[in-house]
Amino acid sequence: GAAGRAEAFSIFCNGSGSATDTSLTAPGWTITQLTALVTQGNIAMASYAAIAPDTSSATFTATFTGKNNCNNFDAQTIDEFSGNDQTGGTTTFDAHNGASGSNGACSLQVTPANDNDGLWGACYAGGTGVGSGFTLGYAPASDSRSEWQILSGGSGSPQTVNWSGSKAWVAVAATITYFWMLK
């Protein structure tokens, strides 16, 4: 991509052990954890955000503390957005949430701090189709995917991010502040 673009990450693991924490690092990148670790049974997920510092390739390292391994499945979603506020951290990613469920489709709400934010979410296990009004983002496997949309208004009003599905699930969501709405 390009320097200054907003990068939204989700990392998830399905394997033995109980996750107690998580981290995401990359040399030269300032990465902010948005959602705390969300767990459901053996699956765990968290979200992170960054502003791309340049166009150089980077190696990211995702870890799950307390997990013996991710022998069943591990993956990450990475989605890139342009036109965003380039401040980074929770200024750019101004609202976020995480949730889990034992059976059904991923669904959670996030309340934007600004009108016309970007709305992004990622789901593992209970996410087989995108929610109404969303565009499919990154989908590394049939049970994991991200989605996004640009809101019309929305400041202070809870917005639902959801997928179709029928399994135990974990999900995260965040909003992304856009330049054109700042004054």
Side-chain angles (χ1 to χ4, degrees):
R5 289 190 175 172
E7 308 287 340
F9 304 86
S10 71
I11 62 172
F12 34 97
C13 174
N14 183 348
S16 59
S18 298
T20 56
D21 200 5
T22 181
S23 66
L24 181 67
T25 59
W29 284 67
T30 301
I31 301 173
T32 302
Q33 185 170 357
L34 297 177
T35 57
L37 189 64
V38 178
T39 62
Q40 178 65 44
N42 286 337
I43 57 178
M45 181 181 216
S47 66
Y48 292 85
I51 301 299
D54 52 41
T55 59
S56 299
S57 64
T59 299
F60 292 83
T61 302
T63 60
F64 287 88
T65 305
K67 281 299 232 188
N68 295 337
N69 58 53
C70 295
N71 59 339
N72 293 336
F73 183 78
D74 71 284
Q76 304 77 37
T77 64
I78 304 169
D79 292 294
E80 181 176 85
F81 301 91
S82 63
N84 52 280
D85 179 312
Q86 295 184 13
T87 305
T90 56
T91 299
T92 301
F93 296 86
D94 56 8
H96 49 84
N97 193 14
S100 64
S102 60
N103 190 21
C106 294
S107 182
L108 71 160
Q109 291 188 325
V110 63
T111 303
N114 300 288
D115 281 337
N116 309 316
D117 271 359
L119 179 58
W120 168 86
C123 170
Y124 171 67
T128 58
V130 298
S132 177
F134 284 88
T135 299
L136 179 64
Y138 187 63
S142 62
D143 282 348
S144 61
R145 58 194 61 233
S146 63
E147 64 184 22
W148 63 273
Q149 68 173 276
I150 303 299
L151 299 172
S152 177
S155 176
S157 298
Q159 303 293 317
T160 299
V161 182
N162 62 354
W163 297 259
S164 58
S166 60
K167 296 180 181 180
W169 58 271
V170 289
V172 293
T175 57
I176 305 156
T177 304
Y178 279 85
F179 269 138
W180 53 268
M181 53 172 276
L182 300 176
K183 300 196 187 235

